[in-house]
Amino acid sequence: MAFPDIVPGLKKAMPELRGRLLASQSLAESAWFRVGGPAQALFMPDDDNDLSYFMKHLPADVPVMVLGAASNVIIRDGGIPGVVVRLGKSFGDIAIEPGHRVRSGTGVLDVRLARAARDAGIAGLEFYSGIPGGIGGALRMNAGAYGGETKDVLIEARGVDRAGNIRTFSNADMGYRYRHSSAPDDVIFTQALFQGRAGDPDTITAAMTDIAEKRKASQPPNKTCGSTFKNPPGGKAWQLIDAAGCRGLTVGAAQVSELHCNFLINVGDATATDIETLGETVRRRVKDTSGVDLEWEIKRIGSAA
């Protein structure tokens, strides 16, 4: 999809902008599924204040979407209208603080946070080594794996809202439940503070190695994201998918993984439409066989082609 170029007008209205603002930027190569159309405009702010300035001066009718590691999204083939905000190296710092605390920018990958905590002798964050993606997404969806969840370790998060206000949210403010946060949708998280506990680096390393081995044994190496569907109450999504006969099911070059059938994979040149159609087919078959409505865990964003 070809979007109108809104970047010149935005730059004119924001003469003090310091970050990079680019028109019609491809997103597929940075998405884990390797699919999707372009961003109408892509903004990479320098810091919180730059992001705040941008948001304060952005016209209210221009939609905004934040995109982190793109490890848990299907970017639809038509691309994303408005502005996509990506937090890059400027939001990639990690600092160790007293009391076994770790402060991290939301541009940091989950596994890097786990490694930094390990190197500082801080236990309790090693579960992040098994989660694909970045800290921004972890905050938004209460990411968790291997016995830990974000809600268990977060002290507070900082972000910028649609009006450009820099705000701080306590753990309670985040309203966490399974794979969900009730924090305002318009907030772009920029930083988080985590609480760990004293630990032995060798012991933590052993735990992270065990997580890595379990991931390798149970999760496909292809172009994919994390788990496609949330586990329903009292059940396992993969078991319902398997029972519905969907293991190995394909639409175009999108396939339900034969290794772990709650993963969809791009086995070639799949489109976003292929992947989303496959997911909806799985949902329909599971509903027909079990009566359960599976809920997407992967976010689907953007416009159809």
Side-chain angles (χ1 to χ4, degrees):
M1 178 180 292
F3 292 113
D5 186 358
I6 60 174
V7 167
L10 294 179
K11 287 184 175 180
K12 184 176 181 181
M14 306 177 190
E16 298 176 25
L17 198 67
R18 292 177 282 115
R20 298 176 66 198
L21 181 60
L22 306 171
S24 190
Q25 292 296 294
S26 175
L27 300 171
E29 65 270 13
S30 59
W32 285 38
F33 269 128
R34 297 296 189 266
V35 299
Q40 183 173 12
L42 179 67
F43 177 53
M44 292 163 282
D46 268 3
D47 52 33
D48 286 42
N49 290 328
D50 193 38
L51 178 58
S52 173
Y53 173 81
F54 178 80
M55 299 298 282
K56 286 178 179 178
H57 292 83
L58 186 68
D61 62 344
V62 177
V64 177
M65 180 172 293
V66 64
L67 193 63
S71 62
N72 195 49
V73 297
I74 298 171
I75 302 170
R76 292 185 172 116
D77 299 311
I80 301 178
V83 176
V84 171
V85 175
R86 294 206 77 159
L87 306 183
K89 293 181 180 179
S90 298
F91 297 84
D93 292 337
I94 298 175
I96 306 301
E97 299 191 355
H100 312 297
R101 293 182 171 187
V102 184
R103 189 176 298 275
S104 172
T106 53
V108 170
L109 291 176
D110 297 332
V111 66
R112 185 170 158 237
L113 174 71
R115 290 169 179 165
R118 174 202 60 195
D119 293 347
I122 297 175
L125 303 179
E126 50 266 42
F127 72 91
Y128 277 120
S129 68
I131 302 175
I135 297 303
L139 294 176
R140 178 57 66 183
M141 65 173 291
N142 186 26
Y146 304 99
E149 288 185 293
T150 298
K151 71 176 180 61
D152 301 328
V153 294
L154 181 72
I155 297 174
E156 65 181 27
R158 190 172 75 195
V160 178
D161 66 19
R162 187 62 172 78
N165 302 304
I166 298 176
R167 303 171 59 183
T168 299
F169 297 82
S170 69
N171 187 308
D173 292 335
M174 297 295 285
Y176 280 138
R177 58 181 189 270
Y178 177 66
R179 301 298 177 264
H180 176 82
S181 166
S182 59
D185 290 338
D186 68 335
V187 171
I188 299 172
F189 291 111
T190 59
Q191 189 182 97
L193 179 63
F194 298 97
Q195 179 68 63
R197 62 182 185 275
D200 173 63
D202 290 339
T203 302
I204 299 169
T205 295
M208 290 171 59
T209 299
D210 183 58
I211 288 172
E213 290 175 349
K214 288 178 179 177
R215 281 194 68 206
K216 184 177 180 180
S218 65
Q219 297 183 15
N222 309 67
K223 294 175 283 187
T224 186
C225 286
S227 297
T228 304
F229 302 106
K230 298 178 183 179
N231 288 326
K236 297 289 187 182
W238 77 265
Q239 292 176 338
L240 295 171
I241 295 167
D242 204 15
C246 294
R247 186 182 295 268
L249 184 68
T250 62
V251 172
Q255 182 184 58
V256 176
S257 172
E258 296 191 12
L259 180 63
H260 190 316
C261 54
N262 196 21
F263 282 72
L264 304 184
I265 57 178
N266 179 354
V267 296
D269 56 354
T271 65
T273 300
D274 290 339
I275 297 169
E276 188 170 6
T277 299
L278 178 60
E280 288 299 324
T281 302
V282 169
R283 292 185 69 243
R284 184 174 63 253
R285 291 194 181 186
V286 168
K287 176 67 173 179
D288 289 344
T289 56
S290 68
V292 175
D293 283 311
L294 288 180
E295 184 179 350
W296 283 90
E297 184 167 323
I298 292 175
K299 308 300 180 184
R300 294 156 297 151
I301 59 177
S303 305

